[in-house]
Amino acid sequence: MIRIVLADDHQVVREGLRLLLDGIPDFSVVGEESDGLRVADLVDRLRPDVLVVDLMMPGLGGLEVTRRVAKRTPGTRVVILSMHADPAYVWEGLNNGARAYVLKDASAACLTQAVREAAAGRRYISPPLSETDLQNYERSRRDAHGDPYHRLTDREREVLHLTAEGLTGPEIAASLGISPRTAETHRANILKKLQLRGKTDLVHFALGRGLVRLNARRVARPQGGVSPLKTT
């Protein structure tokens, strides 16, 4: 029996995934979570064979969730669900420890195969993505400088994500159980390490890395005012 945990912030998506996966005789969905900050703890407690996680999660994105699960619970294989077909996202997901990357418009058969392959410790990428795409992307990165994002601590990544979601310093502090002053210190360190000038740059960075999705609350306006951020 392959035991599965689902992580997605949309209840209707989780219900659909549960209905699909529980309908397979040797699959069993044993847990669900909607907040990225709580996924690793749930996985650590339930120890499922496979975690199916959305790339875009509130609290903490799927890429960071994947990294934490791979580090804390290596026996759980991760399948990332995403609407992004860009090889950069696939490479980041697999590089963070995922065993499979499945596009949200893929067939049910693709997701089922991804879960089976991941549970067996094999890599799976749903079409039209391919290993050739990843190899080409890896070659394009070889001469690049080290990624400053990887110099952030776990707590700094949490603060980065929540700041990009539009939370204030006190709200971040309450969410993470730290003081507002500590939250601001973490944010200052993030800006320094990433060589960013302020919250607007930080939001653009997070959006560009696929760490968060744009929402109505996230409006970063420097002095003088700018139009709300747009995505293509």
Side-chain angles (χ1 to χ4, degrees):
M1 182 69 69
I2 297 176
R3 301 169 68 253
I4 304 166
V5 163
L6 305 176
D8 193 292
D9 58 315
H10 295 99
Q11 183 175 348
V12 68
V13 173
R14 294 199 311 276
E15 289 177 352
L17 290 172
R18 176 183 280 275
L19 186 63
L20 168 66
L21 297 175
D22 265 344
I24 298 172
D26 59 334
F27 285 7
S28 177
V29 176
V30 297
E32 299 180 17
E33 184 53 71
S34 61
D35 188 332
L37 284 170
R38 297 195 294 260
V39 175
D41 288 339
L42 179 64
V43 169
D44 195 36
R45 178 165 58 86
L46 297 179
R47 303 285 170 140
D49 300 298
V50 174
L51 166 67
V52 178
V53 60
D54 186 10
L55 183 69
M56 300 294 183
M57 291 278 290
L60 202 65
L63 292 176
E64 183 61 18
V65 168
T66 297
R67 189 185 73 85
R68 292 190 179 190
V69 168
K71 180 180 179 181
R72 290 172 51 178
T73 320
T76 296
R77 314 295 188 177
V78 180
V79 175
I80 292 178
L81 277 178
S82 173
M83 66 178 64
H84 297 286
D86 189 322
Y89 288 104
V90 186
W91 186 89
E92 287 281 0
L94 298 177
N95 193 51
N96 278 13
R99 297 304 305 173
Y101 191 101
V102 181
L103 296 177
K104 284 193 170 181
D105 60 359
S107 67
C110 280
L111 177 58
T112 300
Q113 183 179 356
V115 170
R116 292 193 186 283
E117 293 296 310
R122 296 186 291 267
R123 192 153 93 171
Y124 179 84
I125 306 171
S126 70
L129 303 168
S130 69
E131 292 288 347
T132 300
D133 293 329
L134 289 185
Q135 291 169 6
N136 291 337
Y137 178 76
E138 285 182 297
R139 278 195 292 269
S140 72
R141 288 179 56 95
R142 284 175 185 168
D143 296 328
H145 296 292
D147 187 348
Y149 179 73
H150 295 308
R151 294 200 294 269
L152 300 182
T153 66
D154 285 353
R155 181 65 83 193
E156 287 167 351
R157 294 183 188 200
E158 292 173 347
V159 172
L160 165 63
H161 191 105
L162 294 173
T163 300
E165 284 191 336
L167 274 66
T168 65
E171 289 172 331
I172 292 171
S175 178
L176 299 179
I178 59 179
S179 71
R181 183 173 181 178
T182 299
E184 289 302 322
T185 297
H186 284 311
R187 184 154 66 177
N189 289 337
I190 293 166
L191 294 173
K192 182 177 180 180
K193 288 181 179 181
L194 298 181
Q195 298 182 359
L196 302 176
R197 292 175 295 178
K199 184 177 179 180
T200 301
D201 285 351
L202 187 151
V203 171
H204 277 292
F205 176 88
L207 287 170
R209 289 294 295 256
L211 302 177
V212 295
R213 64 168 70 91
L214 189 64
N215 60 41
R217 185 177 181 183
R218 189 189 307 117
V219 180
R221 294 180 181 272
Q223 290 184 347
V226 296
S227 300
L229 294 176
K230 297 181 179 179
T231 56
T232 55

